[in-house]
């Protein structure tokens, strides 16, 4: 595959490069990557983990990223102690470890408030004895002005949950799916260990399906624009965005401004608003390959790249074939991977080894009719020639009935259960009882589950690398010890979910086990669809 380097984006200082880019000859793959620490001038750069902490906790306050977190006192200027063989940074880490490992007599307590920026406070608690002074720093998350109140130790101190450094490594892998549709991407993310926290959609039929598939998630039944207009924060580890593709697809099934719902022509410039509300470390996108394939969509594609890099995210894209990832139906999709500044950007998953999945192998997994719900057995009568089913389905499953919906017997169309599994959904995936047209639209719009599952395996690998980098940095600056990091890492092993084999009870138990602490929202912000 031929590649060529494209012009890099530069900072205000003409001699300081911020991004580098590479693209395939036809633009069907490429990347625009923010430079890593080792790729910059060591005298000017900072550790890669520092911008991640900055993006997650400090960026909204206007404070810039720093090599050392606010509140950590490290002597970087002292010379090496030849006898002990340690530097000032090592001694700081040692003192921090001692202060955590043993209790001390505390005749007097002193609490100092350090104001770093508006609405962000750092509280340093010092415990004094006659012989030594030791301290441990704790961070307070910034809150909205209405959450700030007077305190005895300062004029305005945010009253929120204290965020310890260990929490940076122990963050649950929560997930937010925007314009979730048939939730194929969410299903794949859940299977590899993501905790599904939020799903946003507008059509009621789609929301009812999401409620059935993810009973423990918050279903946000509203327009994307209405969601972005509130001032709430929905912080998650990962997010997925599937902008409606009807106006960009090769079939071009919708003109701008003619769709039933406004969200179906949602402007892609909402990326910046979405990432600022979620503060996600990694964001994935799925779109029709027509976005990069056709000249008429180039202006939209360039604007999307600009909006992704505006909040300093790195981006990598590629047109991928779903049949290379276990899907029995042909489907080429543009997959976009992005990561916040400083965080490792995942690579794309390699094709699965062995022969591709076939129609016959997929239909053999459907199971007996008695185990299928009545609304999933609906089909249309046909009278067409039969065909060999020992191949992949040569057509893409779309929202409306087409040639790709014919059963190998030629006597009928695929029923809804068969169609869902050919589209990539696992056997245990449930759908709400709606008409065939609505159900076909939900299935046809979904991201193939096999592709999403392989993609999110790489996303979780990227999260692992980011947490390892964060742990090394926190040890280096004396915020944590190696023992602290190792203990936290041992406790973080996301469990996978096999939707084709686990019982409903086991499935629900696993979902509840990996849930993050409950977040409270006002009723007008989260709407749960009634049964």
């Amino acid at each position: 595959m031929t590649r060529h380097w494209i012009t890099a984006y530069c900072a205000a200082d003409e001699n300081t490069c911020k991004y580098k880019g590479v693209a395939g000859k036809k633009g069907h793959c490429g990347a625009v990557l923010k430079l890593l620490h080792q790729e910059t001038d060591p005298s000017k750069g900072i550790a890669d983990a520092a911008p991640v902490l900055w993006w997650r906790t400090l960026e909204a306050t206007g404070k810039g990223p720093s090599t050392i977190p606010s509140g950590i006192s490290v002597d970087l200027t002292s010379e090496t102690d030849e006898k002990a063989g340690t530097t000032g940074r090592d001694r700081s880490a040692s003192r921090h470890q001692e202060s955590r490992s043993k209790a001390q007599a505390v005749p007097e307590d002193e609490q100092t408030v350090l104001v770093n920026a508006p609405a962000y406070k750092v509280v340093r608690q010092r415990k004094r004895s006659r012989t030594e002074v030791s301290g441990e720093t704790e961070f307070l998350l910034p809150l909205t002005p209405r959450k700030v109140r007077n305190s005895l130790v300062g004029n305005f101190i945010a009253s929120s949950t204290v965020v310890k450094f260990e929490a940076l490594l122990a963050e649950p892998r929560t997930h937010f799916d925007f314009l979730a549709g048939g939730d194929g991407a969410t299903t794949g993310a859940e299977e590899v260990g993501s905790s599904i926290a939020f799903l946003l959609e507008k059509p009621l039929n789609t929301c009812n399906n999401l409620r059935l598939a993810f009973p423990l998630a918050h279903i946000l039944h509203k327009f994307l624009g209405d969601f972005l207009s509130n001032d709430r924060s929905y912080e998650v580890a990962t997010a997925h965005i599937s902008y409606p593709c009807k106006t960009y697809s090769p079939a071009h099934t919708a003109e701008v401004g003619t769709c039933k719902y406004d969200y179906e022509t949602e402007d892609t410039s909402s990326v910046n608003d979405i990432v600022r509300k979620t503060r996600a470390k990694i964001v994935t996108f799925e779109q029709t390959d027509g976005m990069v394939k056709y000249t008429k969509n180039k202006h939209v594609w360039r604007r999307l790249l600009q909006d992704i890099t505006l909040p300093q995210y790195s981006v990598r894209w590629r047109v991928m074939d779903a049949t290379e990832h276990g899907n029995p139906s042909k489907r080429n999709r543009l997959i976009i991977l992005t990561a916040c500044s400083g965080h490792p950007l995942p690579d794309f998953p390699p094709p699965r080894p062995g022969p591709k999945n076939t129609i016959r192998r997929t239909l053999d997994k459907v199971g007996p009719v008695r185990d299928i719900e009545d609304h999933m057995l609906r089909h249309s009568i046909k009278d067409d020639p039969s065909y060999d089913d020992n191949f992949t389905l040569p057509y893409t499953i779309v929202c409306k009935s087409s040639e790709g919906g014919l059963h190998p017997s030629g006597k009928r169309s695929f029923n809804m259960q068969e169609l869902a599994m050919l589209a990539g959904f696992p056997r245990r995936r449930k759908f709400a009882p709606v008409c065939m047209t609505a159900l076909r639209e939900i299935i046809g719009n979904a991201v193939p589950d096999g592709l999403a599952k392989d993609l999110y395996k790489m996303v979780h690998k990227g999260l692992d690398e980011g947490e390892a980098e964060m742990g090394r940095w926190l040890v280096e600056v004396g915020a944590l010890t190696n023992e602290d990091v190792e203990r936290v890492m041992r406790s973080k092993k996301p469990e996978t979910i096999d939707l084709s084999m686990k019982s409903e009870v086991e499935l629900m138990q696993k979902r509840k086990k990996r849930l993050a602490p409950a977040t409270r929202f006002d009723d007008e912000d989260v709407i749960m669809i009634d049964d």
Side-chain angles (χ1 to χ4, degrees):
M1 177 176 57
T2 304
R3 295 191 176 198
H4 63 90
W5 289 96
I6 59 178
T7 304
Y9 297 85
C10 293
D13 181 359
E14 295 181 357
N15 296 321
T16 305
C17 182
K18 294 176 65 175
Y19 282 93
K20 64 178 181 179
V22 62
K25 186 175 181 180
K26 294 183 178 180
H28 293 185
C29 63
V32 179
L33 309 174
K34 202 167 189 301
L35 296 181
L36 300 177
H37 183 206
Q38 60 266 28
E39 298 174 313
T40 61
D41 186 344
S43 64
K44 297 182 179 179
I46 60 176
D48 289 327
V52 179
L53 172 63
W54 164 76
W55 174 246
R56 299 283 286 179
T57 61
L58 292 174
E59 190 270 347
T61 68
K63 181 178 178 62
S66 173
T67 302
I68 300 176
S70 301
I72 291 295
S73 177
V74 179
D75 185 2
L76 298 177
T77 61
S78 62
E79 297 179 355
T80 301
D81 189 335
E82 296 180 357
K83 294 182 180 180
T86 59
T87 63
R89 176 177 295 180
D90 296 329
R91 288 193 295 272
S92 176
S94 177
R95 288 195 300 269
H96 178 75
Q97 182 178 6
E98 290 175 2
S99 67
R100 295 173 56 88
S101 61
K102 63 179 182 179
Q104 302 175 7
V106 186
E108 179 184 358
D109 289 350
E110 179 184 355
Q111 193 173 58
T112 306
V113 180
L114 307 178
V115 182
N116 286 335
Y120 186 87
K121 314 294 177 184
V122 178
V123 178
R124 175 179 295 168
Q125 182 74 34
R126 293 187 179 275
K127 297 182 178 181
R128 294 191 172 184
S129 66
R130 288 180 296 178
T131 58
E132 62 180 335
V133 178
S134 62
E136 181 173 347
T137 302
E138 298 176 335
F139 284 85
L140 301 180
L141 283 178
L143 295 181
T144 55
R146 64 184 177 181
K147 295 288 186 178
V148 179
R149 63 179 177 82
N150 289 328
S151 174
L152 296 176
V153 295
N155 292 330
F156 294 98
I157 297 180
S159 58
S160 67
T161 304
V162 174
V163 178
K164 298 183 181 296
F165 288 115
E166 291 182 7
L168 294 172
L169 304 178
E171 286 182 307
R173 294 186 174 179
T174 47
H175 182 73
F176 198 141
D177 196 334
F178 289 87
L179 307 174
D183 68 78
T186 308
T187 302
E190 184 190 46
E191 287 183 279
V192 298
S194 293
S195 175
I196 310 305
F198 304 101
L199 301 113
L200 182 143
E201 258 297 1
K202 180 55 184 175
L204 187 60
N205 285 336
T206 306
C207 287
N208 282 326
N209 274 289
L210 296 175
R211 171 75 180 277
L212 192 62
F214 305 100
L216 301 180
H218 291 282
I219 312 299
L220 280 65
H221 177 224
K222 56 177 61 181
F223 290 114
L224 178 59
D226 294 337
F227 167 79
L228 296 176
S229 64
N230 68 50
D231 59 354
R232 289 281 182 181
S233 176
Y234 297 78
E235 193 168 294
V236 290
T238 61
H240 179 78
I241 307 174
S242 291
Y243 287 112
C245 60
K246 293 182 178 181
T247 58
Y248 314 120
S249 68
H252 195 71
T253 56
E255 297 287 346
V256 175
T258 61
C259 294
K260 182 178 178 181
Y261 296 107
D262 290 341
Y263 84 97
E264 291 184 340
T265 55
E266 193 69 50
D267 191 272
T268 57
S269 61
S270 58
V271 172
N272 188 41
D273 295 327
I274 289 175
V275 299
R276 290 187 181 279
K277 287 182 75 69
T278 61
R279 300 283 164 179
K281 299 175 184 176
I282 298 176
V283 182
T284 60
F285 297 76
E286 174 267 343
Q287 185 55 257
T288 172
D289 59 346
M291 178 72 79
V292 295
K293 188 176 180 180
Y294 298 111
T295 304
K296 66 184 180 69
N297 297 325
K298 290 294 184 182
H299 68 290
V300 181
W301 171 239
R302 292 191 186 100
R303 185 179 61 193
L304 179 59
L305 284 182
Q306 181 183 21
D307 291 332
I308 291 173
T309 55
L310 183 63
Q312 301 192 37
Y313 274 61
S314 294
V315 56
R316 178 178 283 129
W317 69 91
R318 178 183 294 177
V319 175
M320 303 185 70
D321 181 2
T323 61
E324 294 181 345
H325 300 275
N327 195 55
S329 173
K330 178 184 171 82
R331 193 177 184 92
N332 292 332
R333 305 302 290 174
L334 172 65
I335 302 298
I336 307 171
L337 285 165
T338 72
C340 69
S341 179
H343 199 280
L345 179 62
D347 207 341
F348 292 101
R352 293 186 181 182
K356 294 183 179 181
N357 199 2
T358 64
I359 302 172
R360 181 181 302 174
R361 289 171 57 190
T362 303
L363 296 183
D364 288 343
K365 298 177 182 178
V366 172
V369 173
R370 65 176 180 273
D371 296 335
I372 303 175
E373 297 173 297
D374 290 341
H375 67 280
M376 298 300 292
L377 291 173
R378 296 174 183 170
H379 61 274
S380 302
I381 302 300
K382 301 286 185 179
D383 188 15
D384 293 308
S386 61
Y387 62 89
D388 187 0
D389 61 358
N390 199 28
F391 298 94
T392 59
L393 191 66
Y395 304 99
T396 299
I397 295 176
V398 294
C399 300
K400 298 181 180 180
S401 181
S402 65
E403 294 178 322
L406 181 65
H407 190 271
S409 66
K411 302 302 181 183
R412 64 175 177 87
S413 67
F414 292 115
N415 62 41
M416 294 297 101
Q417 182 65 51
E418 294 168 339
L419 199 68
M421 295 184 66
L422 287 169
F425 284 103
R427 172 64 179 83
R428 194 172 289 278
R429 172 68 167 87
K430 292 185 177 296
F431 294 87
V434 295
C435 67
M436 285 180 60
T437 302
L439 193 53
R440 184 182 287 273
E441 183 173 5
I442 292 171
I443 294 172
N445 280 331
V447 180
D449 174 69
L451 175 58
K453 185 176 180 179
D454 290 354
L455 181 67
Y456 269 83
K457 285 181 180 178
M458 302 301 291
V459 168
H460 279 264
K461 182 179 178 181
L463 292 174
D464 290 339
E465 294 173 358
E467 290 164 359
E469 177 65 26
M470 179 67 71
R472 287 191 293 270
W473 178 59
L474 292 175
V475 170
E476 181 182 5
V477 299
L480 291 178
T481 65
N482 284 313
E483 290 75 13
D484 294 330
V485 174
E486 291 174 1
R487 173 170 46 80
V488 173
M489 291 302 187
R490 282 196 300 268
S491 65
K492 281 186 64 66
K493 291 183 179 180
E495 292 185 275
T496 59
I497 289 181
D498 187 349
L499 296 179
S500 63
M501 299 177 63
K502 293 294 179 182
S503 67
E504 294 295 334
V505 175
E506 292 173 312
L507 179 60
M508 191 62 67
Q509 288 176 345
K510 277 202 169 186
R511 281 172 167 164
K512 287 182 178 179
K513 186 177 179 180
R514 70 161 66 135
L515 276 181
T519 306
R520 299 184 62 181
F521 294 90
D522 295 336
D523 292 339
E524 64 268 20
D525 289 329
V526 175
I527 300 177
M528 301 301 293
I529 307 302
D530 295 329
D531 295 328

